Amino acid sequence: MPPSSRKSCPVVKVVSAARKATSITLTATAKVFNDTGAKVVIDGGNKVALSGGGKIRILYQNTCDAAQRPISADCNNLQAPALTVQNIAFVDGNATGLETPGNEDGGGGAIYVRGGRFKVVNARFFNNACDPLGPDVGGGAIRVLDFPDKPTKSSVDRPVYIVHSTFGGAADFGNHCANGGGLSSIGTSYKVINSLFTDNQAVGHGANSGQGGNGGAIYNDGNTYDLDVCGSQFTNNHANEGGSAVFYVSNDKSGGFTITDSVLTSNPKGAFETDGLPGLFVIALPNNPVVTRSVIE
């Protein structure tokens, strides 16, 4: 459906109740076993905040990790587990030090996902972090990797949903990492709906040829994948290098980026951004991003 014909997505107000929730500080990362079942739902009932205590990542799912009991050799294309986190807060998660040469396990201070499906509904992410330096490591709050095994496949038909969720929300609540203070991914399609991103930071420097610094709120990289932002707000996010609100790069220019009924303001320029699109750095299909009923300034 073309963006101009979609149902409007009203911009949401910040959800601020999470700081009053009961906080549970984990002493070890919670990990999803791949043979648990088709669906895994973690529901905090708007009463729970899971904390990493500033020391550990909070939640981990990886269908290609032998320790998590893979259910198929085709681990990158599995539909299960379908993980949903909802009505919950993730606070002070920290994945610093998990990114090492030769692996892709870094990033995702609060949540790391590779394989299966993933959805976030009415969740809050405060003060989560990952490595401050690195060309691709990212996701102070969330990192998702999607690597279709066949060239004809892409992540477009299996997007990650981020719905009615808050990343930051105040000056001392923001998430940060080398890239993608809020979200970071490789090859992953997203539908970001009615969500708020403020005060998130990409703190690396030198961009992809150096030590990161791209995508203050969202960092997307890959080939054929889509980013669909609807009814959302991005304010006061910052990247030292490119795209203080969003860094979107489709290397072969086959990916699409749409912005509908959204407000992106006061995301100050880092080292570079796309002309005429304050806070954004975009390499995508021709005439993208497709912007409908939105403010970008």
Side-chain angles (χ1 to χ4, degrees), residues 100 221 228:
T100 59
D221 196 2
D228 186 356

Side-chain angles (χ1 to χ4, degrees), residues 148-199:
D149 287 335
K150 297 179 181 179
T152 56
K153 290 186 177 182
S154 76
S155 66
V156 172
D157 62 348
R158 57 191 195 196
V160 170
Y161 284 85
I162 308 292
V163 181
H164 200 274
S165 294
T166 297
F167 295 76
D172 58 345
F173 285 8
N175 308 279
H176 59 89
C177 190
N179 303 284
L183 305 177
S184 173
S185 61
I186 298 177
T188 303
S189 293
Y190 284 97
K191 290 187 181 295
V192 178
I193 302 168
N194 290 356
S195 292
L196 177 71
F197 293 77
T198 82
D199 305 286

